[in-house]
Amino acid sequence: MPQPPPSQSETLPASPVPCDRDILDTEPMLRNFGGPGPTVTMLYALFLENADELSRVLNERLALGDLDGVRLAAHSAAGAARTAGAGRVADLFGSVEEAALRGDAAVMRRDAAALDRALADVKILIARI
């Protein structure tokens, strides 16, 4: 006699790590490094340190009107954020980079200002890992 298909809760194991995929998609990092542990913790700490520094540099360059410096900092930070699974942060840094290429100061300032909150949200989720 055929068995009914497993329920959704039976086919998908519960994630041991709180996750909001819009803010931080931890699944690839955890899969690639065998789940939460010292390596993942170290990589996320390194990401946060670098993202904070690049955000600081971006804001300094923005205050000086150095569009090339803004673009370079945003480009570096966007790539790091994508690798870490921090989608919203990556999108904001990417938008700042594109705005710097266009010389759109209003968009650069708007999205640079939103980065603090987005990074804070990522830090909250990383702290739970």
Side-chain angles (χ1 to χ4, degrees), residues 46-95:
L46 183 61
F47 161 69
L48 290 176
E49 181 181 320
N50 289 332
D52 283 341
E53 176 63 14
L54 287 167
S55 182
R56 184 190 64 72
V57 168
L58 183 148
N59 284 309
E60 283 179 1
R61 301 288 99 198
L62 188 57
L64 294 171
D66 176 4
L67 297 185
D68 198 43
V70 169
R71 183 187 60 76
L72 289 171
H75 178 79
S76 295
R82 278 187 203 90
T83 300
R88 185 178 301 156
V89 170
D91 290 346
L92 286 167
F93 276 122
S95 177

Side-chain angles (χ1 to χ4, degrees), residues 23-128:
I23 298 170
L24 182 68
D25 183 1
T26 60
E27 197 277 324
M29 183 81 84
L30 296 173
R31 180 185 64 240
N32 290 336
F33 294 98
T39 301
V40 169
T41 301
M42 183 270 306
L43 289 171
Y44 276 129
L46 183 61
F47 161 69
L48 290 176
E49 181 181 320
N50 289 332
D52 283 341
E53 176 63 14
L54 287 167
S55 182
R56 184 190 64 72
V57 168
L58 183 148
N59 284 309
E60 283 179 1
R61 301 288 99 198
L62 188 57
L64 294 171
D66 176 4
L67 297 185
D68 198 43
V70 169
R71 183 187 60 76
L72 289 171
H75 178 79
S76 295
R82 278 187 203 90
T83 300
R88 185 178 301 156
V89 170
D91 290 346
L92 286 167
F93 276 122
S95 177
V96 171
E97 177 185 9
E98 290 172 12
L101 286 169
R102 294 189 312 271
D104 190 339
V107 170
M108 284 186 289
R109 284 188 187 88
R110 179 198 70 202
D111 290 347
L115 279 165
D116 288 340
R117 181 70 239 162
L119 281 168
D121 290 343
V122 169
K123 288 175 185 178
I124 289 167
L125 289 180
I126 288 174
R128 295 178 186 171

Side-chain angles (χ1 to χ4, degrees), residues 6-19 21 26-27 30:
S7 71
Q8 182 76 356
S9 62
E10 291 173 15
T11 58
L12 298 175
S15 173
V17 178
C19 182
R21 290 189 192 277
T26 60
E27 197 277 324
L30 296 173

